[in-house]
């Protein structure tokens, strides 16, 4: 089990650093195959925040704070609803909704992002934060809607990466605090977390090398393909 945790964390961290998102999607998806969903969500939060904080601090000067405000504030608020829904709602239905959302966002970025420019308005920021925050509280997967908003509105891959990692750092720390207050940070989860961080650090180093080679257009297409693939995976897993 420990090797499985390390391998998934390594893959998730590599994708997170390269694409700006993906750690939560990958880790919750695969860890929930052999761990309870609640454990997988908490484990994703306490391990993923390591690489997110590192990237945010490393690229501090490139963070575009005006893009960060509305999605981050509303994401934190909506995550509380997702947190309580985690223990109440039919997760198969929600996995299907998440799958459809990922496919729609992925198709946009792979095929249409060069032809459309999203205006960073309060309304689009609030909408991205509400949707992302709900799924963040539910599955720990807050990234796709907010990443779509920031990637479409940012000027270049460095600004996108810095801003999205700052967003994830803030929202992840908020959710970790909520889980701590709820008593969900138990000994077993913390042990798994210590093991997972090994994979996170390896994936972080490999991801940084890959990120330097990506163009802005290549980044958008890579994000699109990743979202489509994970959306299909989430849809299919509910039928088998």
């Amino acid at each position: 089990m420990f090797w499985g945790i390390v391998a998934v964390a390594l893959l998730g961290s590599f994708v997170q650093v390269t694409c700006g998102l993906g750690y939560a999607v990958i880790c919750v998806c695969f860890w929930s195959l052999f761990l309870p969903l609640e454990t997988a969500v908490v484990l994703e939060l306490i391990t993923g925040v390591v690489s997110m904080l590192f990237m945010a601090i490393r690229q501090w000067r490139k963070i575009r704070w005006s893009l960060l405000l509305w999605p981050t504030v509303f994401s934190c608020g909506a995550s509380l609803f997702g947190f309580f829904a985690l223990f109440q709602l039919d997760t198969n239905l929600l996995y299907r909704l998440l799958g459809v959302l990922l496919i729609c966002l992925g198709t946009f970025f792979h095929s249409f992002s060069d032809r459309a420019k999203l205006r960073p308005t309060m309304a689009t920021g609030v909408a991205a934060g509400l949707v992302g925050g709900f799924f963040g509280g539910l599955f720990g997967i807050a990234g796709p809607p907010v990443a779509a908003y920031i990637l479409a509105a940012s000027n270049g891959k460095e600004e996108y990466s810095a801003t999205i990692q700052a967003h994830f750092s803030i929202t992840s720390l908020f959710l970790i605090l909520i889980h701590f207050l709820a008593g969900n940070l138990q000994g077993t989860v913390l042990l798994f977390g210590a093991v997972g961080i090994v994979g996170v650090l390896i994936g972080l180093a490999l991801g940084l090398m890959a990120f330097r080679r990506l163009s802005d257009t290549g980044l958008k297409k890579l994000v699109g393909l990743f979202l489509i693939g994970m959306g299909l995976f989430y849809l299919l897993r509910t039928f088998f």
Side-chain angles (χ1 to χ4, degrees), residues 7-200:
V8 172
L10 190 159
L11 175 62
S13 181
F14 174 81
V15 173
Q16 176 76 29
V17 174
T18 306
C19 298
L21 78 164
Y23 186 80
V25 177
I26 289 173
C27 290
V28 174
C29 178
F30 289 108
W31 281 339
S32 63
L33 296 177
F34 57 89
L35 293 172
L37 177 60
E38 296 84 353
T39 302
V41 169
V42 177
L43 182 58
E44 176 273 318
L45 287 169
I46 62 176
T47 54
V49 75
V50 173
S51 65
M52 295 166 195
L53 279 171
F54 174 85
M55 291 296 292
I57 293 170
R58 183 175 181 269
Q59 304 173 105
W60 184 263
R61 294 183 179 179
K62 297 184 182 295
I63 296 172
R64 188 170 163 188
W65 295 101
S66 60
L67 276 182
L68 203 59
L69 177 61
W70 297 117
T72 303
V73 170
F74 280 86
S75 183
C76 288
S79 66
L80 292 174
F81 292 97
F83 171 78
F84 291 113
L86 175 63
F87 305 98
Q88 304 292 332
L89 299 181
D90 178 5
T91 54
N92 274 339
L93 173 61
L94 292 168
Y95 273 132
R96 290 170 189 169
L97 291 174
L98 179 61
V100 171
L101 175 65
L102 293 177
I103 291 170
C104 291
L105 290 173
T107 301
F108 170 79
F109 276 106
H110 185 265
S111 304
F112 305 108
S113 62
D114 289 336
R115 295 175 238 169
K117 186 72 174 178
L118 182 67
R119 293 182 61 194
T121 64
M122 176 182 173
T124 53
V126 169
L130 288 174
V131 177
F134 177 76
F135 281 107
L138 187 65
F139 298 129
I141 302 171
V146 179
Y149 164 75
I150 293 177
L151 180 57
S154 60
N155 300 311
K157 67 176 186 178
E158 287 83 7
E159 183 179 280
Y160 159 72
S161 177
T163 306
I164 194 65
Q165 299 299 352
H167 167 79
F168 287 144
S169 297
I170 295 168
T171 54
S172 294
L173 289 171
F174 177 77
L175 280 170
I176 289 171
L177 175 61
I178 296 300
H179 281 283
F180 172 75
L181 295 175
N184 294 334
L185 297 183
Q186 303 295 332
T188 302
V189 175
L190 295 176
L191 174 60
F192 289 163
V195 172
I197 286 173
V198 175
V200 168

